[in-house]
Amino acid sequence: MGVYWWLKEYVTYLSVVMGVFTLLMVIYLFNCEMDATVKLTWMFMIAVFPLPTAFFLFFTKTNSGQGRIKKRVRKLIESTKDAIVQPENVLRQVKEDGSGVAALSQYLNRNGCFPVFDRTESHYFPVGEEKFAAMLEELKKAEKYIFMEYFIVAEGYMWGRVLEVLIEKAKVGVDVRVMYDGMCEVSLLPSDYVRRLSKHGIKAKAFSPIMPVVSSHYNYRDHRKILVIDGKVAFNGGVNLADEYINRVERFGHWKDTAIMIRGAAVKSFTLLFLQMWNIDEKSPEFLPYLEDDGYCPENADGYVMPYGDCPLDEDKAGETVYMDILNRANNYVHIMTPYLILDGEMEMALKYAAERGVEVKLILPGIPDKKAAYALAKSHYSSLVRAGMKIYEYTPGFVHAKVFVSDDVKAVVGTINLDYRSLYHHFECGTFLYRTACIADIERDFQDTLAKCRQVTSESIQKEKMSYKLVGSVMKFIAPLM
């Protein structure tokens, strides 16, 4: 009873203190350098749970546990900013044609080394099965080294076949390195898998393995998918090393994914991206021996290729900016495939503006979701985008995992970057920007073939959507940046 009267006596003072504290936190958030949508989420959380949210915000802003890796990554990137030379004739050509590719390259090179290349052949794979077959053939040709960096490696048929080749190559002296995200050790791989691979002569690392230590560093995952062979061939795209990616097993209907293979000068950029991540914990990193230009030019080289990476530890949002640049410069169309649609205000505005100024913006999303909450959240954007003139479709046979932008028959991106907060803000990502390459026609053809298997989202279908999706989507929108 004494506690009750004590609280009753001081409740007014406590309310004033909490009110002032909340106001100060809101003022602090207004002055933070973060996306407006993210600010709104934090403000909502502060209003509902002031003290716990303030503690969580402080924890994330201080970057607890990631100071060392942030410093190391920045040092590696800074020390290799001039590791690959931009061919001057190529830069001059893309400057003169007014495409904006030279300006985009200049932006990307503020915090990295991402030249624009000619002398590069590109080949597009519309499904994971085709990429798998091609990578097996290329792996068998390896003579010097094989560098693999994948978000997911899971034991099964696909990884088993790849591993057989890697073991054979390691036996004959090929430098085989495998890097996968540490989350794999939670459910997909044994915790000692690095040691198991080392017994076969394969150098392996898990990026940021989960430890019994509280750290905001675990929020940053290595979502890249990179395979480099002898510095001559590289693969990139959405396809991980697990059986669902080649439809060997079925999880969410047919798994629609895509990938790109490049051969020639631009491969060096993927080699550099891999080595930057590999050398995070190496005392004496080696780069230059793997980045020498041997002058090789494939017979079918055409157009321009610009591989690039996105790092969550710098101030730029490279992945989002590349997508927005395509949207803002498009004249006729932008066609997109993505598994998730969790948009910040800037990306939503870019999509709507492109549609409102007459560009045909079409978006293909999954018809069968892998995550119900993310699916509901994507639907919460439908009404606004459709009103702006965008055309949205859902892939009825199953799940779309492809990350593709293609525009005006001249520009395209195939890579690992989803249209969600995790890809755009929190993950290490990469993509292959293509300009005037022959395979862009294949990418657009694949988009149209996929479109034929989709149902269109309309104003009427949005109104008839399940109430559960509407409710979950509305609620999840409050905390979308934290997903």
Side-chain angles (χ1 to χ4, degrees), residues 12 15 53 61 67 85 111 120 142 177-178 240 262 274 281 283 285 292 300 312 361 363 391 398-399 476:
T12 302
S15 297
T53 302
K61 293 294 286 184
V85 177
N111 285 311
T120 303
R177 306 186 195 184
V178 176
N240 280 299
I262 62 173
F274 173 86
D281 59 354
K283 294 181 179 179
E292 295 175 355
N300 298 317
V361 183
L363 174 65
K391 295 181 180 179
F399 183 66
M476 295 303 293

Side-chain angles (χ1 to χ4, degrees), residues 132-163:
F132 176 48
M135 72 182 289
L136 281 179
E137 289 304 310
E138 295 299 329
L139 284 169
K140 293 173 184 176
K141 300 175 187 176
E143 297 177 348
K144 299 177 181 177
Y145 62 84
I146 297 170
F147 295 160
M148 306 186 77
E149 179 183 351
Y150 280 82
F151 180 55
I152 292 175
V153 173
E155 291 182 311
Y157 175 80
M158 184 183 189
W159 174 237
R161 289 289 307 279
V162 171
L163 186 57

Side-chain angles (χ1 to χ4, degrees), residues 188-386:
L188 300 176
L189 295 173
S191 59
D192 66 341
Y193 202 65
V194 167
R195 182 179 58 81
R196 296 188 190 190
L197 291 178
S198 69
K199 291 182 177 179
H200 296 291
I202 297 171
K203 302 171 187 175
K205 293 182 181 182
F207 175 81
S208 185
I210 305 301
M211 303 282 193
V213 177
V214 178
S215 172
S216 62
H217 170 57
Y218 298 135
N219 202 35
Y220 300 101
R221 309 312 313 175
D222 184 1
H223 194 244
R224 295 173 178 174
K225 293 97 180 167
I226 295 173
L227 167 59
V228 179
I229 302 168
D230 292 346
K232 295 182 178 180
V233 179
F235 289 80
N236 181 219
V239 182
N240 280 299
L241 301 178
D243 287 351
E244 61 264 32
Y245 293 86
I246 58 172
N247 289 289
R248 187 79 180 184
V249 298
E250 183 176 309
R251 295 185 63 196
F252 311 105
H254 180 264
W255 192 286
K256 166 62 180 175
D257 220 327
T258 61
I260 193 88
M261 178 179 70
I262 62 173
R263 193 188 306 271
V267 172
K268 289 192 292 291
S269 292
F270 282 122
T271 307
L272 178 59
L273 282 169
F274 173 86
L275 289 172
Q276 286 172 344
M277 295 296 283
W278 181 267
N279 284 305
I280 287 175
D281 59 354
E282 295 288 331
K283 294 181 179 179
S284 302
E286 269 194 310
F287 290 96
L288 295 181
Y290 301 98
L291 301 175
E292 295 175 355
D293 191 339
D294 59 5
Y296 170 63
C297 182
E299 292 182 6
N300 298 317
D302 68 318
Y304 306 92
V305 179
M306 180 169 58
Y308 63 97
D310 195 359
C311 171
L313 304 177
D314 59 29
E315 304 303 320
D316 289 336
K317 297 181 288 184
E320 184 174 43
T321 302
V322 170
Y323 286 162
M324 291 173 66
D325 189 79
I326 292 174
L327 286 163
N328 291 335
R329 294 182 186 274
N331 294 313
N332 300 314
Y333 75 82
V334 179
H335 294 160
I336 305 164
M337 287 190 278
T338 183
Y340 309 113
L341 192 69
I342 305 176
L343 304 175
D344 62 13
E346 294 174 3
M347 178 57 76
E348 185 166 8
M349 181 60 70
L351 288 164
K352 291 165 66 174
Y353 174 63
E356 288 167 345
R357 65 185 178 85
V359 176
E360 180 187 82
V361 183
K362 290 185 177 180
L363 174 65
I364 294 178
L365 290 157
I368 300 175
D370 67 334
K371 301 177 181 69
K372 291 292 181 69
Y375 190 53
L377 191 47
K379 289 177 179 292
S380 72
H381 294 288
Y382 283 5
S383 183
S384 173
L385 296 176
V386 169

